[in-house]
Amino acid sequence: MNLAHARALLAGCIVHVENEDAVGQRTWLLALARWAARRWSPVVSVDGTDGLLLDTTGCGHLFGGEARLITAIERGVRALGLTPRIGAAGTIGTAWAAARFGSAQHRMVCSGREREALAPLPTPALRIDPDSVDALAEVGIDRIGQLLDVPRHSLPIRYGPDLLRRIDQALGRLPEAVQRTTEKPVFLATRELPGGTTHLESIELVVKVLLDQIAGLLARQESGLRRLDGTFDRLGGEPEHLSIQVTRATRDPRHLWSLLRPKVERLNMGYGLERITLRAVVVAPLPHRQATIAGGDNPTWQDDADFAAMLDALASRLGRTRVLRPELVPSYRPERSCRLVPVDEAATPLDPAPSFPTDPRPSRLLDPPSPAETIALTPDGPILRLRWRGHEHRLLCSIGPERIAPEWWRAREPVRDYFRVQNDRGRWLWLFREVGAPKWFVHGEWN
Amino acid sequence: MPNVIRPTVIPALRDLLRSGPSAHDAAHLNWATGVPLRLGTTHEWFNEAEDHRTWNAPIAVLAALAACAVHDRVLRRVVWIGDRVFPFPAFLDRRVLVASVFIDPPSPDARLWAIDMALRSQTPTCVVADGQGLTLAASRRLRLAAGSGRGLGLLARPGAEHRLLSAATTRWRVEPHRTERPGCVAWSVTLLRNKDLPLLAAEPRSWILESDDAQGLVVVPPLVAGGTDRAAVRAVAS
C-alpha cells in the first residue's frame, strides 16, 4: 500500500508520515530475538527486516506440546503490542510460507504434509526472487501446486537452479538450518558539541575522552583495534572523515592519540564542529596481560608493541604504502619471486609455500633488467667482454647457465639463461640472455 | 608493621628501573673482522661507484651484518630505510627476511626523520639506511637518536663523502675483491676510523671477506698454508 492509498482510506484523519528507520528496526528486531531466545528456543535467527526464525526442535515438550508452544509464543508477542503471524513446520521453507501466506492466523504443518500445505499458496511463498515469480506468472503458474506438477528437470533450465533449491528446501529434500544471529559489539563513542566549536584544544580534549571510552569498551571485550574511523560533523557543511590504521591491534589511547593528532590538527573545521564520533571498525582479540613493576610483561611482547608503535608512526607520516614488508611469491622469475606489501596487510596464505632458490641470488636486483652487449669468441662460448651503461668490462669468470623458464600460463615469455660473471675488478654481475634472441641484460649484482 | 609499596611509589620505582644502565651500554655486535660494532650508536660504510657516477650501497656486507646480529640474537628486527639499500629479498637469509621492514621515504628530509625514528626504537633493531648527503649536524642527530634507542645504525654512504665530518663511531670502506677461488664473491673491507678504540699502527685495518652462501654471512677466509688470501692477518700501514 502506498501513501496515497492510505490517505484515501483514512480520509479525514491526520496522517503522520515517519521515515523508515532501518537501523532502529534492526536493533528492535535483535532485541526481540534476544527475548525469544530466553523464553522459547535457544536458536533464534533474524529473518529479513520483519521476521524471526526459531528452531524449536526438542522444545515443544517443555510447554506441553508444539501447539501449546505456538499459543504461548503468540500470547507473549501480543503482550508486547504486536500482531504476530506464526507458522510451524518441519522445514524452514514451509514454516515461512505458512506464516506469511497461510490462510489462518497461525498454522501448523505436520511433517510429511508439506506438499499438501504448500500447494494452494502463491509462488512467492517459496522465497524465490521476483523475476522468477514474474517468469512463472507469464506461463500461467501462480500457485505452488501448479509448479510442483511441472517436471523437475525442466525447471533449472528455464528458471535457474535457485527455484529447484527452494522447492527442495521447502519439501525437506535439502537440509536447511536456522543460523543463530549473533550480535557483534559496537565500539563507538560520540560526543555532541552544542553550538559548535573551532577551538582546537577543546576538540583535542574531546577526542582524547572519546579514545579513552573506546579503549574502555575494547578492554571489556579483551580486544584491540586495527582501524579507527572518525567522523567530525561540521555546522552547515559536509562531515569530515579521518581514519587511522595500526600494524598491531592496540587499545592504548596515548598511541592512538599520537597517530590521530596530526590529522585532527589539519582538519577543516568550517564554522565549527558540532559532533565528533569515533568508531573502531576493525577489531582483533587482544588478551589482558599481567604487567610487572618494570612495565610491560614479557620483554618480547613489549618489544613487539614498541616496534609496532614505531611502524605506525612511520606509516602515519610517510603513508602506509611506504612502510613495507617483503613477502616471497612462488615464482621462478626473479622479478616476480618477491613483493613488498604494506606492513599492516595480513600475510597471504600461499599454496605451495615458496621456497628459497638454491642457486645464489644477487644482493640487488635491477628492475627492469638493464640491456647490455657482450663479446664472445664463439656464438655460445664464454663471454669475454661486456659493454654496460657505457663502460667496457673485461670478464674473468663466467658461471652458468641457470635456465629459468616462465610459468606455464605465461608461455609467451622467453626462457632465460642466467650467468654469474666477474669483471677484472672483482665485481660480480648477474646476466641473462633470452633463448632464441641474441639479447643480453644485466639483472642484478652482488655489491 | 611490614613495608608496603604504595601505588604512588610504583611509577617512581619503574622509572628507576628503566633509568638503570641500559642493555646496549656494554653490548656489541661481534662479526667477522673481530672489530666489535657498539650498539646504540651509528657506523658508516662507504663504497665507490665503479664509474664514479652511479652509487650503489654495499648491500651484501650490510645484509651479512644484519644476519649476524639476528643469528646471534643481539638484535631482533631489521629496518631498511631508503630504496638504495633495499636488498633483493631472495638474497636475504630467511630469518632476516622475516625480521625485515622496508621503508621508502619520499625525500631526504623524510629519510632523515625515518632513520631518527627507527634508531630511537626501544626494540633491539638493526637500522640499515641510505646515509647519502648527511651533514655533520644530521650525523650528530642520528648518533644521539641511536644513543636513546636499543639498536644499531648502519649508514651506507658514497665513497666521495668520506672526507666529510661525521659523528659516527666507526667508518668503513667496502670494495669488491678478486679472489682466485672460482665463484667466490669477496670484498675488501677497510676500517677508516674507530672512535671507541683509536687505531694503532700495528693493528690490522683491512680484511678480505668472502660470502658464505649457506649462512648468508660474510666470513674471513681461513688461512691455508701456501694460500693466496693472506689479507686476513695482513696489517695495512696507515
Side-chain angles (χ1 to χ4, degrees):
Chain A
M1 184 186 298
N2 58 29
L3 183 60
H5 193 185
R7 281 183 196 278
L9 288 173
L10 300 169
C13 296
I14 298 170
V15 178
H16 171 69
V17 180
E18 192 167 329
N19 290 330
E20 186 186 359
D21 178 13
V23 176
Q25 277 187 15
R26 173 83 182 168
T27 308
W28 200 92
L29 207 54
L30 283 169
L32 191 64
R34 278 199 301 273
W35 175 81
R38 282 198 301 271
R39 283 170 176 252
W40 320 117
S41 161
V43 182
V44 181
S45 161
V46 171
D47 177 44
T49 57
D50 58 354
L52 294 182
L53 291 173
L54 281 75
D55 185 351
T56 58
T57 310
C59 301
H61 71 279
L62 300 172
F63 299 88
E66 287 198 341
R68 289 192 179 185
L69 169 62
I70 290 169
T71 309
I73 293 173
E74 185 177 7
R75 201 176 296 156
V77 176
R78 279 189 189 282
L80 295 174
L82 303 170
T83 307
R85 292 177 63 90
I86 299 174
T91 65
I92 294 174
T94 305
W96 193 90
R100 291 172 188 263
F101 295 89
S103 56
Q105 197 70 349
H106 61 259
R107 185 168 175 185
M108 279 187 64
V109 179
C110 298
S111 286
R113 304 189 67 179
E114 285 88 1
R115 188 185 179 100
E116 192 182 318
L118 288 170
L121 301 182
T123 49
L126 278 176
R127 299 180 290 168
I128 52 178
D129 61 280
D131 290 345
S132 299
V133 172
D134 292 344
L136 289 166
E138 279 180 15
V139 294
I141 298 174
D142 50 10
R143 297 279 153 190
I144 295 175
Q146 296 170 290
L147 186 60
L148 295 177
D149 292 337
V150 176
R152 276 175 64 83
H153 65 267
S154 64
L155 293 176
I157 300 166
R158 300 186 66 175
Y159 306 106
D162 195 49
L163 177 62
L164 206 55
R165 182 174 64 88
R166 285 303 194 189
I167 292 173
D168 287 344
Q169 284 178 339
L171 297 177
R173 291 177 192 148
L174 274 181
E176 188 181 12
V178 176
Q179 302 292 331
R180 190 198 308 259
T181 301
T182 53
E183 290 177 69
K184 288 183 181 172
V186 178
F187 303 100
L188 181 139
T190 188
R191 181 66 64 96
E192 301 279 346
L193 303 170
T197 180
T198 55
H199 193 228
L200 186 61
E201 287 182 5
S202 307
I203 292 164
E204 287 183 352
L205 188 66
V206 170
V207 173
K208 283 183 187 173
V209 169
L210 295 180
L211 282 175
D212 283 339
Q213 286 180 13
I214 295 259
L217 293 172
L218 289 165
R220 253 177 266 158
Q221 298 287 332
E222 287 200 58
S223 300
L225 64 84
R226 292 286 309 273
R227 183 179 154 192
L228 179 81
D229 283 358
T231 305
F232 296 78
D233 291 312
R234 297 184 297 176
L235 283 172
E238 291 291 312
E240 288 272 307
H241 299 282
L242 298 183
S243 181
I244 54 168
Q245 272 186 295
V246 292
T247 314
R248 191 171 184 272
T250 179
R251 54 173 179 258
D252 180 3
R254 278 189 308 173
H255 176 49
L256 294 171
W257 171 240
S258 71
L259 301 177
L260 206 53
R261 182 176 184 166
K263 300 191 177 195
V264 171
E265 285 174 350
R266 288 199 297 269
L267 205 64
N268 177 5
M269 297 181 203
Y271 295 109
L273 300 181
E274 57 178 351
R275 183 168 53 201
I276 300 175
T277 307
L278 298 183
R279 184 189 182 101
V281 183
V282 182
V283 175
L286 189 66
H288 295 310
R289 287 175 186 273
Q290 176 69 50
T292 66
I293 195 168
D297 51 350
N298 180 342
T300 306
W301 185 84
Q302 188 60 43
D303 282 350
D304 286 344
D306 288 340
F307 193 71
M310 189 263 287
L311 293 182
D312 291 338
L314 287 166
S316 176
R317 175 157 166 180
L318 304 177
R320 63 186 289 270
T321 56
R322 292 187 177 275
V323 182
L324 309 157
R325 63 179 169 77
E327 194 175 82
L328 294 181
V329 177
S331 173
Y332 289 109
R333 286 285 179 160
E335 63 271 28
R336 287 198 290 266
S337 63
C338 311
R339 67 179 167 211
L340 297 177
V341 294
V343 282
D344 56 7
E345 202 168 281
T348 317
L350 296 171
D351 187 24
S355 57
F356 271 52
T358 49
D359 291 299
R361 290 289 177 261
S363 59
R364 193 167 72 94
L365 193 75
L366 303 180
D367 192 17
S370 176
E373 294 169 20
T374 60
I375 299 171
L377 278 180
T378 55
D380 279 334
I383 314 160
L384 296 180
R385 284 186 173 276
L386 173 75
R387 187 171 180 79
W388 179 50
R389 290 180 173 170
H391 286 267
E392 287 273 336
H393 299 262
R394 192 165 67 86
L395 303 185
L396 304 178
C397 174
S398 170
I399 300 172
E402 178 193 354
R403 178 157 292 190
I404 298 180
E407 295 84 1
W408 62 265
W409 60 90
R410 292 188 171 108
R412 289 186 179 180
E413 292 182 11
V415 175
R416 296 172 182 173
D417 279 341
Y418 277 86
F419 295 84
R420 295 166 61 202
V421 299
Q422 186 186 28
N423 72 5
D424 53 354
R425 295 186 60 189
R427 187 179 178 189
W428 285 86
L429 299 170
W430 206 36
L431 304 185
F432 75 82
R433 73 170 171 211
E434 293 180 349
V435 174
K439 288 181 183 173
W440 284 86
F441 296 88
V442 177
H443 205 181
E445 66 175 314
W446 285 262
N447 59 352
Chain B
M1 189 173 170
N3 290 328
V4 177
I5 298 178
R6 297 180 192 286
T8 51
V9 179
I10 290 176
L13 280 172
R14 188 176 290 168
D15 291 343
L16 187 68
L17 285 169
R18 282 183 171 170
S19 64
S22 56
H24 65 66
D25 282 351
H28 297 85
L29 172 65
N30 291 309
W31 66 300
T33 62
V35 177
L37 297 178
R38 187 155 61 88
L39 304 191
T41 185
T42 56
H43 306 269
E44 292 181 342
W45 299 79
F46 297 89
N47 71 329
E48 297 289 347
E50 191 167 77
D51 54 9
H52 301 283
R53 281 186 303 175
T54 54
W55 170 69
N56 297 317
I59 295 172
V61 174
L62 296 176
L65 279 166
C68 180
V70 172
H71 279 247
D72 292 351
R73 300 176 191 276
V74 177
L75 302 170
R76 294 185 53 235
R77 298 285 192 161
V78 186
V79 177
W80 308 83
I81 302 175
D83 60 355
R84 280 178 185 276
V85 297
F86 284 3
F88 180 36
F91 172 76
L92 295 176
D93 168 74
R94 185 176 279 270
R95 282 168 66 181
V96 178
L97 183 78
V98 171
S100 287
V101 174
F102 290 49
I103 295 166
D104 182 18
S107 65
D109 286 346
R111 173 160 48 92
L112 181 61
W113 174 81
I115 300 170
D116 182 295
M117 193 80 186
L119 286 172
R120 286 180 194 279
S121 170
Q122 293 306 307
T123 305
T125 304
C126 182
V127 181
V128 183
D130 174 7
Q132 187 176 18
L134 285 183
T135 60
L136 176 61
S139 73
R140 278 187 180 145
R141 173 182 166 180
L142 296 183
R143 171 89 189 256
L144 287 170
S148 64
R150 294 171 60 195
L152 174 72
L154 303 175
L155 305 171
R157 304 188 66 175
E161 291 185 4
H162 83 274
R163 294 184 190 283
L164 301 179
L165 294 174
S166 163
T169 303
T170 64
R171 303 182 101 183
W172 303 76
R173 185 168 59 229
V174 181
E175 291 167 311
H177 179 77
R178 266 179 61 188
T179 62
E180 293 174 11
R181 291 173 59 188
C184 177
V185 185
W187 298 269
S188 156
V189 176
T190 307
L191 178 61
L192 303 175
R193 184 178 77 187
N194 186 352
K195 280 187 175 176
D196 282 349
L197 195 66
L199 294 169
L200 301 175
E203 282 184 297
R205 290 181 55 183
S206 185
W207 294 264
I208 304 301
L209 302 177
E210 291 181 354
S211 69
D212 181 344
D213 291 331
Q215 294 188 39
L217 303 174
V218 288
V219 293
V220 175
L223 262 183
V224 180
T228 52
D229 289 330
R230 291 181 174 278
V233 291
R234 189 180 62 213
V236 177
S238 56

